[in-house]
């Protein structure tokens, strides 16, 4: 029921000036016990009285509680259960709130029961009763699918949150993915928005294999002739760049090939962060090839950037010298050419480089922006070569030039900063360690990508340990391990797992170092608890590594099918991992040839609704490896999902929980 | 989802975990019980590695010449009993030694790492405690590759489906056929003899006891990643019956009843664990993966007489009397030690070879 302005005004006046009986009369007139429509509005009003009239609010609530909590089976009343529950919670507390939802769920017909079950699941998740919440949400999803699905998206979102609280990061992401796919299928979000949300969610959840696959899909589609409309291109580019934290440049002549270059480029950077250097180099190679085909100034800049970053990944001086010699044909490098002439690439005058780069892009277009970035990247590569040759002082100076001049490019800045911190930590001097801590901490505040955060936290932890500050080092390395596990849980390519498992040794070894000796900085029982956790995790890391190196073993980590659903596998998943099965089934539409949906133009519940149009969408770009991982108990044997002594010895992934909560808001 | 070890420990259990740090050349040990963690200790890895290398050499010497004569190679670090003594001093942390002397603790849950799997922990811990074997961990020793696999096995061991046994038999070996027949007679539930890999697949999820009396072998293990660990083991069926390998279990082609017991018996099958003996770990993990909650096996090839006595006796006591597997293994091991015909086989300085190979991995 929508309250009229006049009635609202009347209620407001009574709330401000009237006595309790006048107020009660007005409220009971509006919401009579025999015909209580608009129960959501009643709940809102009662909640409002808590701030407006604390003296009468409880009495008013007590009078109206039977009306507010009555059982009504019509869709409107059911849909307002969330607001009614909020009022019950506020006035009667959590137990009464739970009892209210349980009663509603018991009295509603099966089709509508899912909604109160979903609210109950949310209520129990908030209370930390995760197993109970999960059972209810499972039931709610089944009910939502059987009915007209009007609350399905809400249930999916709650399940994602619940699984995250349960520590099931990868599974939680599957529900997040299902949420976006279902939103797209229902026409609630556009195609470019879907890609933005999928890439952003994957980045936050550390689902790197998925992120790379999606970007490579985009690249493949971009290379084909079937190009999307230019406007969609611009949106997609913006999505990709904003996912990386980069201000998107103005793209004047965007086309599929350009899209492919960027997608390959960013896939390569993800692969490099993961430790899959060979695959990253291949992706940079493809990006460079595509960039050449662009035959534009922007293409040239992107070509150089891809080639240079490949040298960054594998710093070989002869390749770098050959590459930098080619710079002579590239007009923006003319000013820099002299600096390279006649000396080793890294033995250059950083002041001169600083002068060349200080000016920034000559003009404001995308090509100029990327040309400047390519020059900044060239300086970073010089630093990398210097480091590889053992000239650490020169490397540090060149890295500093990059950070001072090119920090707007977040990814390159992150790569360079990591190396600089590693050099400072490696030097071991007090000043350098202090400086590493300061610049690392400042960077951490801005850095959201889990892999980059893991790198930073691990190096900072080593720095703190070298400073003789074990408590600070342990706090940092525990955060790093949590992130490392988050990323690992999302990997499904065995080669990715092997690469990332190898990286994990640096943080796990430090944790074992810190915890293997007693000290007055940590309570002894706490130390033993954490030591058992990290040693068992280290053993599990090695076991997982050994299993994943045997790629001929198809089952130990998950069942994967590319670009299709396999009925047998799905049936097995239904039995062994019902929550995974549900999440995958909810996304099954992306394995169709195409999606034709009916756009109703407005609220379908309106009795005069008529379809406005039919929309056909190509779903190819969304197809990625389908994941149906192991049951939990098998995860204990084949993954780093290990055990602790008692309660968790590692901090929960509260960072991600907070992130999802803020996204909810 | 994180699980805890503590709820899976009984009031009379103590656990010990070993973690190898190659790069630091140290062993980190942790000991605890169901109430608390009792302590951690860093032990030098080098002497343990040296002793276990010598241990393996002597086991290989004995295996190669069993029945022919005593070992020709003079043992540089002492004979097998000496090695047990020395390992007790350098691989057993103080807290575990103290726990072994404490009668409150009746069972040891051992969580070794890498090469420590090849150490006969039950014998070594008795030597460290300097007490008679009858007074140390009287409910036995259970091993698991990790705390996670122990918790996994405990979760699986609650299965209550109808028991059924499959006995894998290498054809044409009279001694093995006799052993299999003895086991079948001892079992109070139905069983079948399997002579072909495909027969086993047809029994998926029905088998609660898999008793292997066949040949096995392992490849020469190398390094997998940054850890020395091999998985390439196989159990042979003769006469074109095929072979069982790790991926049969990992792929789900061979599935056991959840909570199943696997016994890998017969001297020749001990070859599964030969070479670097911690190969056993790869096999155990694969069998756990297939649903097993307990794997009873030998770390190295051993004489028929001992194998039959211990394995068949353990299976009989477990299924007929309901004795816990760890306890049944221990009592049958003790009775083998005091069995005159078996004692007659034991040459001077070789008793650990006969009584040290048995390992029960899993829930116990």
């Amino acid at each position: 029921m929508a309250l009229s302005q006049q009635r609202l005004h009347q209620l407001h006046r009574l709330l401000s000036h009237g006595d309790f009986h006048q107020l009660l009369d007005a409220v009971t007139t509006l919401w009579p016990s025999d015909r209580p429509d608009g129960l959501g509005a009643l709940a809102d009003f009662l909640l409002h009285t808590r701030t407006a009239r604390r003296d009468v609010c409880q009495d008013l609530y007590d009078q109206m509680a039977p009306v507010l909590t009555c059982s009504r089976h019509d869709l409107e009343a059911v849909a307002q259960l969330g607001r009614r529950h909020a009022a019950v919670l506020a006035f009667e507390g959590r137990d009464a709130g739970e009892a209210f939802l349980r009663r509603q769920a018991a009295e509603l017909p099966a089709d509508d029961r899912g909604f109160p079950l979903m609210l109950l699941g949310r209520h129990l998740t908030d209370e930390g009763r995760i197993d109970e919440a999960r059972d209810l949400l499972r039931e709610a999803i089944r009910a939502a699918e059987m009915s007209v699905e009007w609350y399905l998206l809400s249930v999916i979102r709650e399940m994602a949150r619940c699984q995250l609280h349960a520590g099931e990061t990868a599974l939680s992401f599957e529900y997040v993915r299902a949420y976006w796919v279902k939103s797209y299928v229902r026409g609630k979000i556009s195609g470019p928005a879907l890609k933005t949300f999928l890439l952003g969610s994957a980045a936050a959840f550390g689902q790197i294999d998925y992120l790379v696959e999606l970007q490579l899909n985009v690249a493949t589609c971009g290379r084909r002739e079937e190009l999307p409309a230019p406007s969609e291109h611009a949106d997609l580019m913006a999505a990709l760049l904003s996912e990386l934290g980069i201000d998107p440049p103005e793209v004047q002549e965007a086309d599929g090939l350009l899209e492919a270059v960027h997608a390959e480029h960013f896939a390569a950077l993800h692969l490099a962060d993961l430790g899959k250097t060979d695959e990253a180099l291949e992706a940079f190679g493809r990006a460079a090839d595509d960039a050449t085909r662009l035959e534009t100034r922007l293409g040239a800049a992107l070509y150089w950037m891809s080639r240079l970053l490949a040298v960054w990944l594998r710093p070989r001086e002869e390749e770098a010298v050959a590459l930098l010699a080619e710079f002579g044909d590239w007009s923006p490098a003319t000013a820099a050419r002299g600096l390279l002439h006649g000396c080793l690439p890294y033995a250059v005058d950083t002041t001169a480089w600083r002068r060349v780069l200080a000016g920034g892009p000559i003009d404001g277009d995308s090509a100029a922006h990327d040309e400047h970035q390519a020059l900044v990247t060239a300086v970073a590569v010089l630093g990398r070569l210097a480091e590889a040759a053992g000239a650490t002082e020169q490397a540090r100076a060149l890295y500093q030039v990059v950070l001072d001049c090119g920090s707007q490019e977040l990814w390159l800045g992150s790569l360079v900063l990591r190396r600089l911190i590693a050099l400072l930590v490696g030097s071991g001097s007090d000043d350098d360690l202090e400086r590493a801590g300061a610049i690392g901490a400042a960077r951490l505040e801005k850095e959201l990508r889990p892999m980059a955060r893991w790198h930073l936290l691990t190096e900072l932890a080593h720095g703190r340990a070298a400073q003789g500050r074990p408590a600070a080092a342990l706090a940092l390395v525990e955060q790093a391990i949590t992130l490392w596990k988050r990323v690992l849980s999302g990997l499904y390519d065995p080669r990715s797992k092997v690469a990332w498992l190898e990286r994990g040794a640096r943080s796990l070894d430090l944790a074992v170092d810190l915890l293997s000796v007693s000290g007055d900085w940590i309570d002894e029982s706490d130390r033993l608890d954490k030591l058992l956790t990290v040693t068992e995790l280290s053993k599990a890391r090695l076991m997982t590594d050994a299993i994943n190196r045997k790629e001929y073993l198809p089952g130990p980590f998950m069942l994967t099918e590319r670009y299709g659903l396999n009925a047998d596998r799905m049936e097995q998943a239904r039995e062994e991992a019902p929550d995974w099965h549900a999440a995958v089934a909810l996304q099954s539409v992306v394995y169709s040839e195409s999606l034709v949906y009916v756009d109703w133009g407005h609220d379908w519940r309106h009795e005069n609704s008529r379809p406005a149009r039919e929309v056909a969408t190509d779903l190819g770009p969304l197809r990625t490896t389908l994941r149906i991982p192991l049951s939990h108990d098998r995860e204990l044997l084949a993954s780093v999902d290990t055990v602790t002594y008692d309660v968790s010895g590692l901090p929960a992934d509260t960072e991600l929980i907070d992130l999802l909560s803020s996204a909810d808001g | 989802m994180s699980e805890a070890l503590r709820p899976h420990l009984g009031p009379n259990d103590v656990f010990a975990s070993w973690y190898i740090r190659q790069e630091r050349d140290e062993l980190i040990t942790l000991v605890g019980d169901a109430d608390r963690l009792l302590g951690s200790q860093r032990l030098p890895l080098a002497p343990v590695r040296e002793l276990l290398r010598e241990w393996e050499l002597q086991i290989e010497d004995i295996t190669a010449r069993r029945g022919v004569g005593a070992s020709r190679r003079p043992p540089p670090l002492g004979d097998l009993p000496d090695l047990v003594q020395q390992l007790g001093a350098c691989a057993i942390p103080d807290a575990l030694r103290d726990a072994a002397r404490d009668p409150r603790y009746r069972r040891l849950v051992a969580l070794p790492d890498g090469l420590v799997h090849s150490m006969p922990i039950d014998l070594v811990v008795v030597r460290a405690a300097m007490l008679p074997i009858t007074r140390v961990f009287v409910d036995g020793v259970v091993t698991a590759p990790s705390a996670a696999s122990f918790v996994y096995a405990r979760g699986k061991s609650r299965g209550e489906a109808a028991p059924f046994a499959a006995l894998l038999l290498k054809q044409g070996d009279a001694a093995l056929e006799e052993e299999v027949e003895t086991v079948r007679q001892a079992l109070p539930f139905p069983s079948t003899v399997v002579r072909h890999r495909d027969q086993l697949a047809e029994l998926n999820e029905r088998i609660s006891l898999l008793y292997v009396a066949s040949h096995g072998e392992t490849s020469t293990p190398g390094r997998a990643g940054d850890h020395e660990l091999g998985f390439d083991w196989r159990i042979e069926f003769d006469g074109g019956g095929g072979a069982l390998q790790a991926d049969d279990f990992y792929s789900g082609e061979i599935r056991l009843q959840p909570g199943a017991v696997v016994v890998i018996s017969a001297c020749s099958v001990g070859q599964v664990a030969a070479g670097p003996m911690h190969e056993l770990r790869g096999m155990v993990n694969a069998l756990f993966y297939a649903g097993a909650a307990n794997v009873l096996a030998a770390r190295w090839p051993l004489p028929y007489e001992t194998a039959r006595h211990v394995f068949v006796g353990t299976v009989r006591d477990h299924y007929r009397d309901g004795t816990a597997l760890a306890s049944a293994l221990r009592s049958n091991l003790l009775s083998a030690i005091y069995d005159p015909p078996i004692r007659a086989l034991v040459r001077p300085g070789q008793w650990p070879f006969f009584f040290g190979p048995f390992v029960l991995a899993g829930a116990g």
Side-chain angles (χ1 to χ4, degrees), chain A residues 499-513:
Chain A
W500 190 242
L501 283 162
E502 199 173 324
R503 299 226 148 173
R506 186 152 170 82
S507 37
L508 283 170
D509 285 349
L510 175 63
V512 175
D513 276 341

Side-chain angles (χ1 to χ4, degrees), chain B:
Chain B
M1 186 190 298
S2 82
E3 280 203 51
L5 170 64
R6 188 176 180 171
H8 294 278
L9 296 169
N12 302 117
D13 286 346
V14 65
F15 83 89
S17 164
W18 287 261
Y19 173 58
I20 291 175
R21 304 194 78 198
Q22 299 282 4
E23 71 286 2
R24 298 275 191 280
D25 204 26
E26 68 180 9
L27 256 179
I28 293 183
T29 61
L30 263 156
V31 179
D33 62 19
D35 288 331
R36 65 193 175 95
L37 289 164
L38 301 169
S40 75
Q41 194 172 344
R42 294 155 73 198
L43 302 169
L45 179 61
V48 178
R49 190 192 291 124
E50 282 298 300
L51 289 167
L52 288 175
R53 189 173 294 147
E54 175 62 23
W55 179 272
E56 291 187 14
L57 287 173
Q58 292 199 30
I59 293 290
E60 281 171 14
D61 282 352
I62 297 171
T63 307
R65 279 181 291 285
R66 183 162 11 97
V68 176
S71 169
R72 285 174 300 185
R73 190 178 63 90
L77 298 174
D79 60 13
L80 289 177
D82 292 333
L83 296 179
V84 170
Q85 184 83 34
Q86 292 176 67
L87 282 166
C90 64
I92 301 298
D94 297 344
L96 177 56
R97 186 198 58 219
D98 295 344
R101 289 172 178 163
D102 187 337
R104 273 183 308 164
Y105 296 118
R106 298 174 62 89
R107 189 176 77 149
L108 169 63
V109 177
L111 310 172
D113 185 25
L115 57 85
V116 181
H117 278 275
S118 61
M119 184 171 80
I121 291 170
D122 42 357
L123 300 187
V124 172
V125 80
V126 164
R127 277 302 160 112
M130 292 190 289
L131 288 174
I133 192 168
T134 50
R135 288 175 56 192
V136 176
F137 295 128
V138 296
D139 286 345
V141 176
V142 180
T143 301
S146 65
S149 56
F150 176 68
V151 168
Y152 166 90
R154 291 267 306 160
K156 285 282 173 202
S157 65
R158 295 177 200 126
E160 290 182 357
F164 180 79
L167 296 94
L168 270 60
L169 179 61
K170 181 210 168 199
Q171 297 175 57
D173 187 318
L176 290 179
E177 287 188 9
E178 185 189 333
E179 180 179 337
V180 160
E181 197 46 44
T182 312
V183 173
R184 291 191 76 181
Q185 286 171 10
L187 293 173
F189 50 80
S191 62
T192 187
V193 176
V194 173
R195 291 187 170 85
H196 195 286
R197 181 191 171 286
D198 294 344
Q199 272 179 282
L200 200 59
E202 287 167 13
L203 296 170
N204 267 345
E205 296 185 9
R206 282 189 61 204
I207 301 169
S208 59
L209 168 64
L210 179 64
Y211 195 102
V212 180
S214 181
H215 283 291
E217 62 178 38
T218 54
S219 65
T220 304
R223 292 180 70 81
D226 49 3
H227 195 59
E228 204 169 282
L229 185 70
F231 281 95
D232 294 332
W233 55 271
R234 41 195 285 133
I235 295 171
E236 299 284 351
F237 295 88
D238 279 3
L244 275 178
Q245 298 178 84
D247 55 331
D248 289 322
F249 298 105
Y250 280 128
S251 66
E253 285 187 42
I254 307 290
R255 300 191 298 278
L256 304 171
Q257 194 183 106
V261 174
V262 179
V263 181
I264 300 184
S265 176
C267 64
S268 50
V269 180
Q271 288 170 15
V272 166
M277 286 168 273
H278 57 280
E279 277 276 305
L280 188 62
R281 185 162 85 149
M283 181 176 67
V284 168
N285 210 57
L287 292 167
F288 278 179
Y289 195 83
N294 283 288
V295 178
L296 178 57
R299 294 184 177 94
W300 55 80
L302 71 164
Y304 278 123
E305 293 82 355
T306 325
R308 201 160 42 221
H309 187 105
V310 174
F311 286 131
V312 177
T314 301
V315 167
R316 181 193 57 229
D317 293 354
H318 176 61
Y319 286 107
R320 279 209 175 155
D321 309 334
T323 311
L325 271 172
S327 204
L329 172 61
R330 185 175 186 279
S331 61
N332 280 282
L333 183 61
L334 287 179
S335 75
I337 290 172
Y338 296 109
D339 182 58
I342 293 177
R343 286 180 77 95
L345 296 171
V346 181
R347 296 179 200 286
Q350 289 188 354
W351 64 265
F353 171 80
F354 285 82
F355 306 119
F358 301 99
V359 59
L360 175 65

Side-chain angles (χ1 to χ4, degrees), chain A residues 451-515:
Chain A
M451 285 196 294
R453 282 183 69 78
W454 172 81
H455 279 285
L456 273 175
L457 284 163
T458 302
E459 288 310 318
L460 286 176
H462 277 274
R464 293 298 185 221
Q467 283 180 304
R469 297 170 59 186
L474 183 64
L476 289 165
V477 84
E478 282 186 332
Q479 282 185 60
I481 291 170
T482 304
L483 285 166
W484 175 73
K485 287 184 71 180
R486 187 200 295 176
V487 172
L488 189 68
S489 76
L491 299 174
Y492 45 79
D493 180 345
R495 289 164 300 174
S496 301
K497 286 200 172 198
V498 167
W500 190 242
L501 283 162
E502 199 173 324
R503 299 226 148 173
R506 186 152 170 82
S507 37
L508 283 170
D509 285 349
L510 175 63
V512 175
D513 276 341
L514 292 166
L515 291 164

Side-chain angles (χ1 to χ4, degrees), chain A residues 281-297:
Chain A
L281 290 172
E282 286 171 16
F284 276 133
R286 288 193 298 270
D289 289 347
D290 288 340
T292 311
R293 289 167 56 201
L294 277 170
E295 296 177 350
T296 61
R297 192 175 146 209

